[in-house]
Amino acid sequence: MKRLIAGLPFIAAVIFGVFFLWGLNPDRDPNEIPSVLISQPAPAFDLDPVPGLETPGLARSDLVGNERPVVVNVFASWCVPCRAEHAVLTRFVEREGMRLFGINYKDKPEDAVKWLNDLGNPYERIGSDLSGRTGIEWGLSGVPETFIVDGDGTVLFRYVGPVVGPDAVERFTQALKQAGALPKGAAS
């Protein structure tokens, strides 16, 4: 029995070592977090607009009946990577005609208004998720996260983290093209 107890630290060290080596695997992509929502209907939600913005709120019904897929971006003013990706998403809206909806996640309304006034507001609709409940329903692991949703309300694609840098932008562009989320003749 004493040998077994004496061997426990060694066994624990081996287990931790295996997890550590798995985490260092260069082929492992932390953005490849599986989502149970892919190929499933977007969750039911109905979010009020962000107080102080002229942009209407967002509900699941806004995702249904569109002639081409839309993009739902979950963001917050306190999220540094969200700031970095904001310019990329704005370019997609302005240059490619992408339709962008937003969920403002656990953010103070006055901070969200200031952030969008400073950076510009590319969103057609923004729902305020002060409680974070809608984020839970969408299966968020953090912000930013971006989803492509088909005209029937089915989630087609999920991107975890900021869409920043050539590889991320290329991957996102390919997902938009495959989904048909860019209008015919878009420059990308």
Side-chain angles (χ1 to χ4, degrees):
M1 183 65 155
K2 288 184 179 184
R3 282 187 176 181
L4 180 63
I5 292 173
L8 283 178
F10 175 74
I11 293 169
V14 168
I15 291 171
F16 283 119
V18 168
F19 279 112
F20 178 73
L21 290 174
W22 174 76
L24 291 177
N25 180 354
D27 295 328
R28 189 179 75 82
D29 183 0
N31 285 330
E32 291 293 330
I33 299 171
S35 174
V36 296
L37 283 181
I38 303 301
S39 300
Q40 299 297 317
F45 68 100
D46 188 358
L47 297 172
D48 292 332
V50 175
L53 279 181
E54 297 297 316
T55 309
L58 181 64
R60 185 184 189 288
S61 60
D62 298 314
L63 306 178
V64 178
N66 296 295
E67 65 182 59
R68 61 185 160 88
V70 297
V71 174
V72 177
N73 175 248
V74 185
F75 71 98
S77 65
W78 47 262
C79 164
V80 174
C82 296
R83 180 176 282 271
E85 104 173 329
H86 189 80
V88 174
L89 296 176
T90 299
R91 276 195 304 274
F92 271 109
V93 169
E94 291 174 351
R95 295 182 186 166
E96 309 297 338
M98 178 183 83
R99 296 192 62 205
L100 182 62
F101 297 163
I103 297 175
N104 185 234
Y105 183 71
K106 291 187 173 183
D107 207 356
K108 294 179 184 173
E110 59 274 12
D111 292 344
V113 170
K114 181 179 181 337
W115 193 78
L116 289 165
N117 285 339
D118 291 347
L119 299 177
N121 183 357
Y123 299 96
E124 290 182 35
R125 297 181 156 276
I126 302 174
S128 178
D129 185 18
L130 281 171
S131 69
R133 184 75 200 147
T134 298
I136 291 169
E137 296 294 327
W138 280 82
L140 291 186
S141 61
V143 289
E145 285 194 24
T146 307
F147 299 85
I148 300 175
V149 181
D150 201 355
D152 65 358
T154 301
V155 177
L156 301 175
F157 179 80
R158 173 188 186 200
Y159 192 88
V160 177
V163 181
V164 178
D167 292 341
V169 170
E170 178 59 27
R171 183 168 171 230
F172 189 65
T173 301
Q174 289 307 314
L176 288 169
K177 287 179 179 178
Q178 287 175 352
L182 300 176
K184 301 283 187 232
S188 317

